[in-house]
Amino acid sequence: MSRVTIQPSGKTVDCAHGDTVLMALEKAGYALPNNCRAGACGECKVKVLSGQYDQGMVLDMALSQEERRQGFGLMCMAKPISDEMVIEWGTADAKPKLFPPRENVLFVVTDKRAIAARVVELRLRPVGKPIRYWPGQYVTVGDPRAGFPARAYSISNAPRPDGELVLHVARADGGVTSQWIHDELPVGESIKINGAYGTFIGDPAVDTPVLCLAAGTGLAPILSLAEAALRRGFRKPVMLLLSARTQEDAYAQGMLAWWRTKHRNFDYRLTLTREQHEGFLHGRVDVVLPDLLPDLSRHTIFAAGSPEFTACCVDTCKRLGAAEDMIYTEGFFTVQQPVVAAAERLLPTP
């Protein structure tokens, strides 16, 4: 057991043998930013002030040699090897935001249906105690013993009393887990879930107009965030812009239309990038957003989708006046699968 101290708050957490610093912080409820959890994205990079740790295998693009010399490390892979470790992160109060994630929680698939050309919706009910999570977080699903590695999928619904989780799973080319879910996983099957993870949770204290930007299954965490905000009576305007390649790729239109009818402050638009249809905008976010909302200086922004999509959203929103500290993003790192597989091959044999 090692002790990790967070400065400048001075808060401490215990890190069990074999756990990463990120895992220890999450179990204690601290919202250290993270995304890929595999040493590939660099989101969990912090400066290590003292102590020794095993950094594990990480990519140079996520942690450069110069950053290593300056004392920075990636906490998703870092495992303490000294009794004490001190990192620089957070504010003076370091208030906890996350519920501790759980492992191997048993759920049953209660429904499965296609909602878009390459997307199925899973509805999962817990057998025992539900997973606690914040809107915008994700869980991992898979069956490693059967050859289907655990993969991350965002929860698309706000927390419910019955603990139901709704996931949107896109068929990934070469993705054995997504193909298993699409083609083999039946209704009534029991599966194990890990989570919840991630820090794309927003700030309940936000009191500004909100713009949500989503592409593909990046819509899932956006739906969760929007549902939670509307349910609690959020009064500021909420605009959702969904980008899809074709009309067949655009889903959840019925739910969005119902929200628009029920909540006067909610509106949405759909834009298609590869075809044109009546009732849809046409073009990428950087093309259509300036006409839709030319001034974002007072908005809070949430963007979710591929890394390329979220990067485009950030650049466009900044050009329209959005403040950098008011932009929240969730990028789905396609590099995660090969990185995890490579790391597993390097693990010592038990």
Side-chain angles (χ1 to χ4, degrees):
M1 181 78 71
S2 298
R3 175 170 294 179
V4 178
T5 301
I6 307 168
Q7 294 293 4
S9 68
K11 303 290 186 180
T12 62
V13 301
D14 290 329
C15 185
H17 178 71
D19 280 359
T20 65
V21 175
L22 175 60
M23 293 169 63
L25 292 172
E26 286 181 332
K27 288 177 180 179
Y30 292 100
L32 177 66
N34 66 90
N35 200 323
C36 74
R37 307 180 72 86
C41 71
E43 285 288 319
C44 63
K45 187 185 306 174
V46 301
K47 191 166 187 178
V48 180
L49 301 178
S50 65
Q52 302 297 316
Y53 62 99
D54 177 7
Q55 179 58 91
M57 190 188 75
V58 301
L59 299 186
D60 284 342
M61 68 178 186
L63 183 67
S64 69
Q65 294 300 319
E66 178 59 28
E67 288 173 329
R68 298 180 199 221
R69 285 191 289 270
Q70 294 175 3
F72 288 91
L74 300 186
M75 298 301 101
C76 70
M77 301 294 286
K79 296 181 179 180
I81 55 177
S82 59
D83 292 338
E84 299 283 342
M85 183 174 170
V86 181
I87 65 173
E88 185 177 70
W89 171 79
T91 61
D93 54 17
K95 293 182 179 179
K97 291 185 178 181
L98 299 181
F99 298 112
R102 296 163 60 200
E103 297 181 352
N104 298 320
V105 183
L106 191 63
F107 278 76
V108 173
V109 181
T110 59
D111 192 25
K112 171 183 169 183
R113 66 188 183 95
I115 57 175
R118 294 173 60 87
V119 181
V120 296
E121 179 182 86
L122 288 183
R123 290 183 176 269
L124 310 172
R125 288 285 182 95
V127 174
K129 183 180 179 181
I131 285 179
R132 300 181 70 192
Y133 67 94
W134 291 102
Q137 289 192 292
Y138 65 88
V139 294
T140 63
V141 182
D143 188 353
R145 292 185 178 181
F148 307 117
R151 294 293 177 245
Y153 299 104
S154 293
I155 304 167
S156 72
N157 62 299
R160 299 173 183 174
D162 60 10
E164 181 179 60
L165 302 182
V166 182
L167 309 181
H168 296 162
V169 181
R171 183 187 293 274
D173 295 332
V176 294
T177 301
S178 67
Q179 291 178 14
W180 164 66
I181 292 174
H182 274 250
D183 301 333
E184 301 179 37
L185 182 64
V187 172
E189 183 71 24
S190 297
I191 60 175
K192 292 182 178 179
I193 304 294
N194 301 315
Y197 306 113
T199 56
F200 187 60
I201 59 178
D203 182 355
V206 163
D207 192 31
T208 70
V210 171
L211 170 63
C212 297
L213 303 168
T217 52
L219 180 60
I222 294 295
L223 289 177
S224 180
L225 287 164
E227 179 189 348
L230 294 172
R231 183 194 293 175
R232 71 171 182 264
F234 185 75
R235 298 300 182 187
K236 297 291 184 178
V238 178
M239 169 60 74
L240 190 156
L241 176 59
L242 172 62
S243 176
R245 294 174 299 179
T246 68
Q247 187 175 6
E248 287 187 341
D249 295 317
Y251 66 90
Q253 297 179 58
M255 176 64 72
L256 297 178
W258 183 73
W259 282 355
R260 180 164 60 187
T261 301
K262 184 177 181 180
H263 303 281
R264 290 187 176 184
N265 62 321
F266 176 80
D267 201 0
Y268 72 98
R269 297 288 189 276
L270 289 88
T271 184
L272 306 180
T273 59
R274 296 189 181 179
E275 62 183 26
Q276 297 187 46
H277 281 284
E278 183 177 355
F280 293 82
L281 302 175
H282 175 67
R284 291 170 17 129
V285 166
D286 54 340
V287 173
V288 301
L289 188 56
D291 290 332
L292 189 63
L293 290 171
D295 181 6
L296 295 177
S297 60
R298 297 184 179 181
H299 279 70
T300 299
I301 317 294
F302 296 92
S306 70
E308 296 78 14
F309 174 79
T310 56
C312 176
C313 290
V314 170
D315 181 66
T316 303
C317 291
K318 285 183 178 179
R319 286 192 284 108
L320 297 176
E324 185 171 3
D325 62 354
M326 299 294 281
I327 303 175
Y328 301 85
T329 63
E330 176 81 307
F332 302 147
F333 279 77
T334 56
V335 74
Q336 180 176 359
Q337 294 189 10
V339 169
V340 170
E344 289 172 347
R345 288 196 298 270
L346 292 177
L347 289 175
T349 303

